[in-house]
Amino acid sequence: MKDTYLTPGPSELYFTVPDHIKIALNQQIGSISHRSQEFKDIFEQTAKNLRALMEIPDDFYIAFTGSANEIFERIIQNCVEKHSFHFINGAFSEKFYTFSVALKKDAHKVNATWGTAFNMQNIEISEETELIALTLNETSTGVTLPSKDIALLREKYPDKLIALDAVSAVPNSKIDFSQIDTTFFSVQKAFGLPAGLGVWIFNEKCLQKANFLQKKGINIGTYHSLPELAKRAKTFQTPETPNVLGIYLLGKIAEDMLRKGIETIRTETRYKATLIYHFLESQNELKPFVRDKNLRSQTVIVINLASENAEMYIEKLKKQGVILSTGYGKYKKSQLRIANFPTHSKEIFERLVDSL
Ligand SMILES: *Cc1c(COP(=O)(O)O)cnc(C)c1O
């Protein structure tokens, strides 16, 4: 029997991926020119399906990169001359911050204890800050950023760019694009695709900032600068030879999710998350790491173990064909992380709860 990956990423492939790969091979997708009409049609269709699925407004650009890590770097290069400000509540938001430091910016930060909320009312962001970096779903801690926090920042700092890391949150979480300037994700999390593709969504304000920096003589990078990506995206192209197969598959999976219905996906996600959180509340051995119910991620569930025996649980579940993740970093031995993505069935979650 095949294993089921409940790991946060890479994760179980969306169940239609094998069929789409077969069709892609038959259509020789791997050999077509990225300057051909055939490729432009693929790009256009994928962008169109993503717009429909995630309700991305027409005035936001959609571009493709190699990963979300790459987008961390590109956002800093293209949208920050000197000052970025980072809300850090786990390992991924921390990494975004360290990239800004490495790129020689004045990176400022506020830390929330892992698994808890930011004290938003008391956080002051300096006048000189150009960009605020947020993480919608901290995959390392299973903590989610309340939409009221984003709204508060938008209201308080209307002129600053707001960047939202949405990896592992979308398509389940609905993004209010009026509250942000750029967002991004990679496909090996909730979209259930092989890794190697990042999706960068940005508005005109980000593009203008990059143009401004470039005119000032600041290095904004080369082929994946915002002006290059935006110029090419207008004709459904990419600056480089891209991951054509990945872009094709993303379009197909978005189409499958649209056919199923995003509301159905959200309802199922909620059901599965409730199932596991209820179970965690009902016994004493395993506890949700995130205490505050309103902060608990629906898509990445982090469990505190009674002792440092994560490996024992992982081995036990593996024997039953279910692959889980350990905790992140210092919680490697004392936590489990479980992904709840669209391809994970209710049945597998019911089985998981029984086994745990
Ligand atoms: C996985 C993840 C990333 C990094 O994605 P890559 O595709 O590996 O670059 C960034 N942010 C969050 C929240 C993630 O879960």
Side-chain angles (χ1 to χ4, degrees):
M1 201 180 71
K2 258 174 60 181
D3 291 334
T4 302
Y5 281 81
L6 291 180
T7 45
S11 193
E12 184 73 13
L13 295 183
Y14 197 75
F15 64 100
T16 56
V17 167
D19 287 340
H20 291 309
I21 289 179
K22 273 181 220 145
I23 295 166
L25 290 176
N26 276 335
Q27 294 182 353
Q28 296 182 280
I29 296 288
S31 305
I32 61 168
S33 162
H34 59 297
R35 300 288 169 232
S36 66
Q37 189 57 44
E38 207 179 344
F39 173 71
K40 289 184 216 171
D41 291 344
I42 290 171
F43 185 130
E44 185 174 7
Q45 194 60 47
T46 298
K48 193 173 152 218
N49 293 349
L50 281 179
R51 273 189 207 285
L53 187 69
M54 294 172 61
E55 296 178 58
I56 304 168
D58 284 340
D59 56 353
F60 275 75
Y61 295 83
I62 299 176
F64 300 106
T65 69
S67 67
N69 266 268
E70 184 190 343
I71 302 170
F72 287 160
E73 177 164 304
R74 303 297 179 211
I75 287 177
I76 301 299
Q77 286 176 319
N78 284 266
C79 299
V80 180
E81 181 177 356
K82 292 198 182 97
H83 300 276
S84 60
F85 190 100
H86 301 256
F87 282 79
I88 301 179
N89 54 351
F92 290 101
S93 40
E94 173 90 40
K95 201 170 186 188
F96 200 168
Y97 164 80
T98 62
F99 278 27
S100 188
V101 174
L103 291 167
K104 309 276 185 232
K105 311 294 178 184
D106 274 325
H108 310 262
K109 62 172 173 166
V110 60
N111 284 86
T113 305
W114 280 31
T116 70
F118 293 102
N119 189 349
M120 293 307 279
Q121 300 297 339
N122 296 341
I123 297 167
E124 280 305 320
I125 296 175
S126 69
E127 186 64 40
E128 68 220 335
T129 300
E130 298 151 73
L131 176 125
I132 300 171
L134 302 169
T135 306
L136 186 52
N137 194 67
E138 243 306 344
T139 316
S140 59
T141 61
V143 100
T144 196
L145 187 70
S147 46
K148 66 170 172 34
D149 287 4
I150 307 175
L152 182 100
L153 290 168
R154 185 53 136 193
E155 202 193 325
K156 221 166 148 187
Y157 307 104
D159 299 330
K160 302 193 191 308
L161 294 171
I162 295 182
L164 183 67
D165 176 346
V167 189
S168 84
V170 286
N172 183 58
S173 299
K174 187 172 172 342
I175 293 176
D176 181 348
F177 282 87
S178 71
Q179 308 284 333
I180 59 157
D181 298 289
T182 180
T183 187
F184 57 92
F185 63 93
S186 46
V187 299
Q188 75 278 14
K189 306 266 164 92
F191 279 89
L193 284 161
L197 185 68
V199 179
W200 191 3
I201 302 159
F202 54 92
N203 66 10
E204 200 65 40
K205 213 167 134 191
C206 295
L207 181 58
Q208 278 168 12
K209 177 77 187 228
N211 281 324
F212 169 79
L213 296 181
Q214 193 165 43
K215 281 209 189 78
K216 252 187 124 171
I218 289 159
N219 181 2
I220 60 167
T222 56
Y223 73 112
H224 274 179
S225 68
L226 280 182
E228 278 299 311
L229 286 168
K231 187 179 83 189
R232 292 295 193 175
K234 277 185 181 150
T235 57
F236 307 113
Q237 293 185 72
T238 54
E240 83 289 29
T241 320
N243 181 351
V244 180
L245 179 62
I247 295 170
Y248 170 85
L249 293 174
L250 177 59
K252 290 296 171 191
I253 295 312
E255 186 182 324
D256 291 341
M257 288 179 174
L258 280 166
R259 195 173 301 118
K260 176 157 185 171
I262 187 65
E263 284 315 319
T264 305
I265 289 174
R266 287 178 180 144
T267 304
E268 287 181 3
T269 304
R270 212 160 30 237
Y271 171 84
K272 290 178 289 167
T274 305
L275 194 73
I276 191 136
Y277 282 122
H278 269 171
F279 161 73
L280 295 175
E281 299 285 1
S282 72
Q283 43 72 61
N284 292 318
E285 191 86 352
L286 308 167
K287 288 288 162 202
F289 175 50
V290 180
R291 296 272 179 82
D292 182 344
K293 288 194 170 87
N294 297 317
L295 298 177
R296 284 178 190 164
S297 167
Q298 289 186 358
T299 51
V300 180
I301 292 121
V302 179
I303 301 176
N304 264 350
L305 302 169
S307 59
E308 297 206 325
N309 57 354
E311 263 329 303
M312 189 271 285
Y313 280 96
I314 289 184
E315 285 306 314
K316 183 175 142 192
L317 269 296
K318 190 170 166 33
K319 286 200 187 94
Q320 299 171 36
V322 177
I323 313 293
L324 304 183
S325 270
T326 61
Y328 209 96
K330 64 183 170 192
Y331 293 114
K332 197 170 174 58
K333 290 181 178 158
S334 60
Q335 293 186 343
L336 296 173
R337 287 180 308 142
I338 298 171
N340 174 17
F341 294 156
T343 206
H344 298 133
S345 67
K346 290 178 203 170
E347 290 70 28
I348 197 83
F349 266 75
E350 283 157 1
R351 238 173 69 204
L352 172 71
V353 165
D354 284 344
S355 311
L356 284 174

